[in-house]
Each structure stands twice: as structure tokens, then as C-alpha cells.
Amino acid sequence: MSRSALYSPRQQSGIGLLGAVILSAGVVVAGFLLATAVKDFRKYDQFIEVRGLAEEVVKSDKASWNLAFSAYGETPQAASQAWVKQQEKLETTVLAMGFEAADIRRQPMNIYENINPNGGQVEPAKRWRAQGGIVVETPKVDAVEQATLKTDVFLNENIVLESSFVQFYFTDLNSIKPRMLKAATDNAKEAAQTFASDSGVTVGALKTATQGLFSISAPLGEYGGENTVMKKIRVVTKVQYLVE
């Protein structure tokens, strides 16, 4: 005997109606959940992407001063000896400017034979040329900046420099990174709020954030930063905010 035979036609009709009601309720609930999921998905998918900028001017904390010169002699040995004496005199002069022996790094000496490009004879006392110099590396940035303006000091000691150039560096970037990233993020959120207000939406939670590279340049330009004592530190962040 089939299971349906145990029930009367009226009972079977009631069971069928109950099943239809339950099925309909299930479809309604499923439809509500699906609608909510789509709504939440669209809400999550809507976001504002902005960029935040932070700039800060700081002072260099390290300087590198390169001093180069040449000495001459009739023989390679004579040129080398003349160069050593000149180097000792140069180092003594630099120490008298307030620097320490630990700040001075000697550059290697190179010896060349001078050749007259016109085919004439080279002056015997300058037949051989020894070239080299020293590099002053120090955190005494102000002292280096002042010393580079006093070229007459070397001339008074009969030291003829072939080149004198200085480079300034800022090496403590980690000390300012946190506040600069915060400033860049705040700047990005301000931009997002302005954009959202104009669009009739509200800025929600942070979705993603990407840190850009830190750049170091001259305060008034994008290049030539190594020659200036003051540095402009710049970072740009890319941030996405959900909208409501």
C-alpha cells in the first residue's frame, strides 16, 4: 500500500497546501538573503580612490667634501714624493678648520706621464704627474658649508685644488617616516571627504592603502638635492575608502 493511501483526499490537499506555503516561504527568505548579499556586495564595491601628499623640509645630517690636487716631478718617484708632501699639508689645513682625523679619508694616488699633444717637449719638472686627494666625511654639516667658502685658506698654504665639491645627505629618514605617512593619509582622507561631499555620498571605512616611495630633492626643485643643505622629503600614498 502506498503511503499516500493512508490519508484522505482532504488530508492530502492540506499537506500539499502546507508544502506549498513552506516552499514559498523558503523562496522569500532566499530572495531576501540574495538581495542583502547583492546590496552588501555593491556597497563594498563602491569606493573612492585618492592620493595623499606629504612634504617636509629637513636639514642634512651628513656631508661629503671631495678635495683633489696634483703634484709634478721629473720622475714618477719625484712626483709621488711631491704629492705626499702636498697631501700632508692639505690634511693639516683641513684639521685646522675644525675637523677630526677620523673625518678624513685618503683617495688613491694615480701617476701619469704628461705628453704634449702638439708634439713639443714637456717641461722636465712636470713630465710626471701624481693625482689624488682626500674626502672629508662628517656630520659637521655647517662646518663643511663654511669651509667650502674659504678657498683662500688653501691658496695661502700654496695648495692649488683642481676640484672641490661637496654633497649633503639626509640619512635619518626612518625618524620622520611615521609622521609623514600619517600626514599623507590625513591629506588623502580630506580629499576623499571633499570628493564624497560633492558626490552626495559618505566616506566609510578604509579599504586599501599603498605607500609610495620617499623622494629627497632640493627644497625649490625636484633635482639637485645633493648640493643643498636643506632637503625636501616627499611621499605620495594611494588610498581607497568605501562609500556609504
Side-chain angles (χ1 to χ4, degrees), residues 210-230:
T210 304
Q211 174 191 319
L213 295 176
F214 280 80
S215 64
I216 302 178
S217 60
L220 301 179
E222 298 300 326
Y223 305 99
E226 290 186 352
N227 299 323
T228 60
V229 175
M230 304 305 295

Side-chain angles (χ1 to χ4, degrees), residues 4 10 45 70 90 110 112-113 116 144 147 169 179 203 214:
S4 60
R10 179 179 294 180
D45 192 52
S70 292
L90 177 60
N110 296 297
Y112 309 92
E113 183 178 9
N116 192 326
V144 171
Y169 304 95
R179 68 170 180 262
V203 175
F214 280 80

Side-chain angles (χ1 to χ4, degrees), residues 124-176:
K126 293 186 176 182
R127 180 178 175 183
W128 292 91
R129 174 191 177 192
Q131 185 184 44
I134 64 172
V135 177
V136 181
E137 296 179 333
T138 176
K140 299 178 181 178
V141 175
D142 293 333
V144 171
E145 187 178 26
Q146 293 299 317
T148 56
L149 303 176
K150 300 177 181 179
T151 55
D152 57 320
V153 173
F154 298 105
L155 293 176
N156 293 337
E157 296 295 331
N158 293 321
I159 301 173
V160 179
L161 297 174
E162 292 184 336
S163 66
S164 170
F165 66 91
V166 62
Q167 295 173 301
F168 298 99
Y169 304 95
F170 179 72
T171 63
D172 196 18
L173 189 60
N174 287 334
S175 67
I176 65 173

Side-chain angles (χ1 to χ4, degrees), residues 172-239:
D172 196 18
L173 189 60
N174 287 334
S175 67
I176 65 173
K177 270 187 177 182
R179 68 170 180 262
M180 288 197 67
L181 288 174
K182 183 180 183 306
T185 303
D186 291 344
N187 180 255
K189 189 168 186 179
E190 182 180 350
Q193 289 173 337
T194 300
F195 183 80
S197 177
D198 294 340
S199 303
V201 295
T202 303
V203 175
L206 177 68
K207 183 182 179 184
T208 62
T210 304
Q211 174 191 319
L213 295 176
F214 280 80
S215 64
I216 302 178
S217 60
L220 301 179
E222 298 300 326
Y223 305 99
E226 290 186 352
N227 299 323
T228 60
V229 175
M230 304 305 295
K231 307 292 184 183
K232 180 176 69 176
I233 314 297
R234 187 175 188 268
V235 65
V236 177
T237 58
K238 183 172 71 174
V239 185

Side-chain angles (χ1 to χ4, degrees), residues 2-188:
S2 67
R3 189 173 180 182
S4 60
L6 298 176
Y7 299 93
S8 66
R10 179 179 294 180
Q11 289 174 321
Q12 290 182 19
S13 176
I15 292 174
L17 178 60
L18 178 61
V21 171
I22 294 174
L23 178 60
S24 298
V27 171
V28 171
V29 172
F32 173 76
L33 293 176
L34 179 61
T36 303
V38 170
K39 180 180 178 182
D40 289 343
F41 173 76
R42 288 177 178 174
K43 181 178 178 181
Y44 180 80
D45 192 52
Q46 294 175 352
F47 61 89
I48 296 175
E49 181 176 292
V50 292
R51 282 174 170 76
L53 170 66
E55 292 183 340
E56 188 169 331
V57 176
V58 299
K59 187 174 182 178
S60 299
D61 56 14
K62 184 177 180 180
S64 176
W65 186 19
N66 191 305
L67 301 167
F69 66 94
S70 292
Y72 301 88
E74 293 186 14
T75 63
Q77 294 79 6
S80 175
Q81 292 173 0
W83 186 88
V84 170
K85 291 180 180 180
Q86 192 82 334
Q87 184 186 51
E88 291 174 351
K89 187 184 295 186
L90 177 60
E91 291 179 357
T92 299
T93 304
V94 170
L95 291 173
M97 291 179 169
F99 298 102
E100 307 293 333
D103 299 331
I104 300 175
R105 177 167 56 86
R106 294 182 176 182
Q107 296 284 72
M109 176 183 62
N110 296 297
I111 298 181
Y112 309 92
E113 183 178 9
N114 281 330
I115 300 176
N116 192 326
N118 298 322
Q121 280 191 330
V122 176
E123 183 180 347
K126 293 186 176 182
R127 180 178 175 183
W128 292 91
R129 174 191 177 192
Q131 185 184 44
I134 64 172
V135 177
V136 181
E137 296 179 333
T138 176
K140 299 178 181 178
V141 175
D142 293 333
V144 171
E145 187 178 26
Q146 293 299 317
T148 56
L149 303 176
K150 300 177 181 179
T151 55
D152 57 320
V153 173
F154 298 105
L155 293 176
N156 293 337
E157 296 295 331
N158 293 321
I159 301 173
V160 179
L161 297 174
E162 292 184 336
S163 66
S164 170
F165 66 91
V166 62
Q167 295 173 301
F168 298 99
Y169 304 95
F170 179 72
T171 63
D172 196 18
L173 189 60
N174 287 334
S175 67
I176 65 173
K177 270 187 177 182
R179 68 170 180 262
M180 288 197 67
L181 288 174
K182 183 180 183 306
T185 303
D186 291 344
N187 180 255

